[in-house]
Amino acid sequence: MSEEAKSRGNAAFSAGDYAAAVEHFTDAIALSPTNHVLYSNRSAAHASLHHYADALEDAKKTVELKPDWSKGYSRLGAAHLGLHQIQEAISAYKKGLEIDPNNEGLKSGLEDAQAAAPRSRDAPPLSPFGNAFSGPEMWAKLTADPETRMYLQQPDFVKMMQEVQKNPNNLNLYLKDQRVMRAFGVLLNVKFGGPNSGDDMEIPEETSTPQSSASERKEDKMEEKVVEPEPMKVTEEAKGRKPQAVKEKELGNAAYKKKEFEKAIEHYTKAMELDDEDISYLTNRAAVYLETGKYDECIKDCDKAVERGRELRSDFKMVARALTRKGTAFVKMAKCSRDYEPAIEAFQKALTEHRNPDTLKRLNEAEKAKKDLEQQEYFDPSLAEEEREKGNEYFKQQKYPEAVKHYSESLRRNPKDPKAYSNRAACYTKLGALPEGLKDAEMCIELDPTFSKGYTRKGAVQFFMKEYDKALETYQEGLKHDPQNQELLDGVRRCVGQLNKASRGDLSPEELKERQAKGMQDPEIQNILSDPVMRQVLVDFQENPKAAQEHTKNPSVMSKIQKLVQAGIVQMK
């Protein structure tokens, strides 16, 4: 399925429909999230739309997944260049050239970046504070400061800082936000005081480690504060309620394990009444509601936990847990409502808080369930037939990109139609998208092994790829199902003619070199050449005519010799 979406993306990109290409590559990534080529292709589509920030994100993911692939650095350099991050672009192109020194695309990109460097240095700053927000140094400084490091776990703060980085004049829009002012002070090495500048962020006990808490407390003590906050007045009664709340929570946990859900709810509710500064009581009660099928109550508790967690600046992992639980409740409800979008939205928000593998797995499952449901609802053979006919009309007019769109729509309406795969394979062949054409032809044969068009499409693609021996096998396989098919017979004749050119020595030097290079990539040819017996046979053919005469009586040996001749590796006299 991911390959199909990738093929649609490639076709849309070739047709200049970059927005559609982004959508198709996104679909492919959802099905195959570790495929570096998909991120590379989407990065190129984003760059073509001048969405360089998105292109940069995909390029970084490409390099992360495949650090030894030179094209990833080409995408990275192009994205940086589009964002006018000249030095980063130069660095990316140079790293790519370390992997592939002869890559012309990387060389050209590096030249463009180096040519832009003087212009970039001569450009006047956009604002008096422009340098404070430029480049990765901004994020490094914010990460180094104990207080702003916590802010980086809050998506709204990160978004504001990204807006300021894009245009420092946007700082005026966020001056009332104390977090932005604190960050501004860190970047300029100036201390700003505020009403909440010294508030500590309470981290629930169950999601923090003693080591991390101790280190954070140590950093808080070391941090110099210009304005001391007024200490919170905590009554003795409030202090005494916290241990009681923890005890109620433990009783709730014990009841939950015994599946005494009503008792568990009572204990968690009592814990919340005793201490409203620990959102784990809410998330635990939400888990009970989820277990008992009370999904609306579960979602309400999760929303309260998120809202309260933001007020308390609770650990982002706890907020993510509440959002994940909310998403799980929506998934359960989707079995009746058939609406997975709320669940997907909840999981995505959870991942912005904390990238948890379990949440990511649940997101992928929800997206797959949504896609499967859409395909079921979209299935309509009669409309699929109409789209295929529209594709045929565009094919006759030689408007192949438009034909691909209609054939693809036909397959979305009916993904089991071999004719649509056959016709789209023909379009891809005309567009020069041979790998995509080959996949469609193979899918056509898989759906209907007796459909002769599938074999003619596959054979034609292999012939254009100059894999004449494979094309011959495909045509011969098709003739088993349709012995009188003229297209298959013509295909066999063409392949035999090409293969015999090597036997007769009629290949030009260029053709011979190209065929030898392709042959050396064939695993079968590699096995023949690595066989000690066959190496001796080849020596005998060159130096020992009598032994060579004996070898010609062995059908297996001669079959292998014929393979080498067809590949241009051996020339018979």
Side-chain angles (χ1 to χ4, degrees):
M1 295 296 291
S2 67
E3 288 297 329
E4 182 182 337
K6 174 189 170 187
S7 299
R8 291 197 297 268
N10 290 341
F13 190 90
S14 300
D17 190 353
Y18 304 121
V22 168
E23 292 180 8
H24 292 310
F25 290 137
T26 301
D27 291 341
I29 287 170
L31 296 168
S32 183
T34 58
N35 188 331
H36 63 282
V37 175
L38 299 177
Y39 289 98
S40 170
N41 289 4
R42 191 171 68 175
S43 177
H46 278 310
S48 299
L49 291 167
H50 305 294
H51 298 163
Y52 295 113
D54 294 325
L56 180 61
E57 184 178 346
D58 278 348
K60 287 180 177 178
K61 186 66 175 177
T62 303
V63 172
E64 177 188 332
L65 291 170
K66 188 71 172 173
D68 59 346
W69 193 46
S70 61
K71 184 174 284 189
Y73 295 95
S74 178
R75 302 292 191 218
L76 191 62
H80 279 307
L81 200 56
L83 292 168
H84 305 291
Q85 298 169 351
I86 308 303
Q87 294 305 318
E88 289 85 347
I90 291 173
S91 176
Y93 287 127
K94 285 183 177 178
K95 285 181 181 177
L97 287 169
E98 290 175 7
I99 298 169
D100 186 1
N102 298 317
N103 189 295
E104 292 300 325
L106 288 166
K107 289 180 180 178
S108 175
L110 179 59
E111 290 176 4
D112 291 342
Q114 289 174 334
R119 297 195 298 272
S120 175
R121 286 194 296 269
D122 294 340
L126 295 175
S127 82
F129 309 115
N131 293 334
F133 302 104
S134 62
E137 293 82 2
M138 181 188 85
W139 302 106
K141 287 183 179 179
L142 295 178
T143 304
D145 184 83
E147 187 171 347
T148 55
R149 181 168 62 242
M150 292 191 294
Y151 298 158
L152 294 176
Q153 309 300 336
Q154 301 170 17
D156 60 329
F157 171 79
V158 173
K159 185 175 180 181
M160 286 189 286
M161 294 307 298
Q162 288 173 338
E163 292 296 323
V164 173
Q165 190 174 43
K166 289 179 184 176
N167 182 1
N169 293 322
N170 287 336
L171 179 64
N172 297 322
L173 302 175
Y174 308 121
L175 289 177
K176 292 184 179 180
D177 192 296
Q178 294 299 321
R179 296 169 299 170
V180 174
M181 289 303 296
R182 170 62 184 161
F184 188 37
V186 169
L187 296 174
L188 295 179
N189 294 319
V190 176
K191 295 290 182 180
F192 289 100
N196 299 318
S197 62
D199 290 350
D200 289 329
M201 175 176 158
E202 182 178 346
I203 300 177
E205 183 180 348
E206 64 180 288
T207 57
S208 66
T209 63
Q211 292 85 349
S212 63
S213 299
S215 64
E216 287 172 8
R217 286 195 297 271
K218 185 178 179 182
E219 287 177 351
D220 287 342
K221 288 178 182 178
M222 292 174 63
E223 183 184 359
E224 181 185 353
K225 293 182 174 64
V226 174
V227 180
E228 289 294 334
E230 184 179 346
M232 292 180 60
K233 295 180 180 179
V234 182
T235 65
E236 292 298 324
E237 183 182 356
K239 288 182 180 180
R241 286 201 299 264
K242 284 185 179 292
Q244 295 177 37
V246 172
K247 186 175 181 180
E248 290 292 339
K249 175 184 174 182
E250 291 172 352
L251 291 171
N253 292 345
Y256 180 85
K257 290 176 183 177
K258 295 177 182 178
K259 297 189 181 299
E260 297 174 351
F261 299 123
E262 290 302 323
K263 284 187 178 180
I265 289 174
E266 289 177 12
H267 289 301
Y268 291 138
T269 303
K270 183 64 176 175
M272 289 159 48
E273 292 170 355
L274 292 167
D275 179 10
D276 66 346
E277 294 186 353
D278 188 339
I279 65 172
S280 68
Y281 307 144
L282 275 167
T283 57
N284 284 11
R285 191 173 70 174
V288 181
Y289 285 137
L290 182 65
E291 186 73 22
T292 55
K294 298 178 180 178
Y295 304 128
D296 288 328
E297 287 85 348
C298 173
I299 291 168
K300 287 178 183 176
D301 270 5
C302 291
D303 285 338
K304 288 178 186 176
V306 172
E307 182 180 357
R308 186 62 176 146
R310 299 215 189 283
E311 290 173 2
L312 298 168
R313 296 186 181 177
S314 299
D315 186 355
F316 58 90
K317 292 181 182 178
M318 290 294 293
V319 175
R321 181 182 301 173
L323 288 165
T324 299
R325 198 151 286 165
K326 178 182 177 180
T328 305
F330 276 125
V331 168
K332 299 283 187 182
M333 296 172 71
K335 293 178 180 179
C336 297
S337 68
R338 303 174 73 83
D339 183 8
Y340 286 91
E341 196 57 44
I344 291 170
E345 182 181 352
F347 289 138
Q348 288 173 337
K349 286 182 178 178
L351 288 170
T352 63
E353 298 288 340
H354 173 55
R355 196 160 184 83
N356 181 282
D358 178 64
T359 305
L360 183 60
K361 180 184 176 184
R362 290 171 188 266
L363 172 62
N364 291 336
E365 289 173 349
E367 289 178 335
K368 183 180 184 301
K370 178 190 174 186
K371 192 175 183 67
D372 291 344
L373 183 62
E374 288 174 347
Q375 287 180 344
Q376 292 171 15
E377 294 175 344
Y378 211 62
F379 182 80
D380 191 328
S382 60
L383 288 177
E385 184 71 21
E386 291 179 15
E387 289 295 331
R388 184 158 60 82
E389 289 301 323
K390 290 178 184 177
N392 292 344
E393 290 300 318
Y394 279 114
F395 188 90
K396 291 174 185 176
Q397 298 172 31
Q398 298 183 356
K399 296 180 178 179
Y400 304 120
E402 290 83 352
V404 165
K405 289 181 182 178
H406 287 289
Y407 290 139
S408 298
E409 178 63 21
S410 174
L411 286 168
R412 282 193 285 273
R413 292 287 184 182
N414 182 10
K416 300 295 183 183
D417 182 11
K419 292 180 181 178
Y421 277 110
S422 169
N423 293 2
R424 194 171 69 173
C427 276
Y428 280 139
T429 305
K430 293 288 186 181
L431 289 168
L434 300 181
E436 287 78 8
L438 183 61
K439 288 185 180 71
D440 272 4
E442 289 174 341
M443 180 59 74
C444 173
I445 293 171
E446 180 181 330
L447 291 171
D448 186 357
T450 64
F451 186 43
S452 58
K453 277 288 184 184
Y455 296 98
T456 59
R457 301 295 189 214
K458 182 178 178 181
V461 172
Q462 291 170 325
F463 188 89
F464 285 125
M465 296 172 75
K466 299 185 180 181
E467 296 177 347
Y468 304 119
D469 51 341
K470 292 182 181 178
L472 179 60
E473 291 175 5
T474 299
Y475 288 130
Q476 289 173 337
E477 185 65 26
L479 287 170
K480 293 178 183 178
H481 303 285
D482 189 359
Q484 304 304 318
N485 187 287
Q486 193 59 47
E487 283 187 85
L488 293 171
L489 292 169
D490 290 342
V492 169
R493 190 188 69 253
R494 290 196 305 273
C495 290
V496 170
Q498 286 294 329
L499 292 171
N500 285 341
K501 283 180 70 175
S503 302
R504 296 193 303 266
D506 292 343
L507 294 173
S508 68
E510 291 77 13
E511 288 177 324
L512 179 61
K513 186 176 181 181
E514 183 179 357
R515 188 169 295 191
Q516 287 173 340
K518 188 174 288 291
M520 290 304 294
Q521 296 175 1
D522 189 332
E524 187 176 1
I525 297 294
Q526 293 173 3
N527 288 334
I528 293 172
L529 292 175
S530 62
D531 185 350
V533 175
M534 284 305 300
R535 286 206 297 269
Q536 183 59 49
V537 169
L538 294 174
V539 171
D540 290 342
F541 269 96
Q542 297 292 325
E543 301 175 358
N544 192 340
K546 186 175 181 180
Q549 188 65 31
E550 290 297 319
H551 291 317
T552 59
K553 298 176 183 179
N554 186 327
S556 175
V557 168
M558 292 309 298
S559 173
K560 293 177 180 178
I561 291 291
Q562 185 63 26
K563 285 277 186 185
L564 296 176
V565 171
Q566 291 170 356
I569 306 298
V570 172
Q571 296 182 5
M572 302 297 290
K573 297 179 181 179

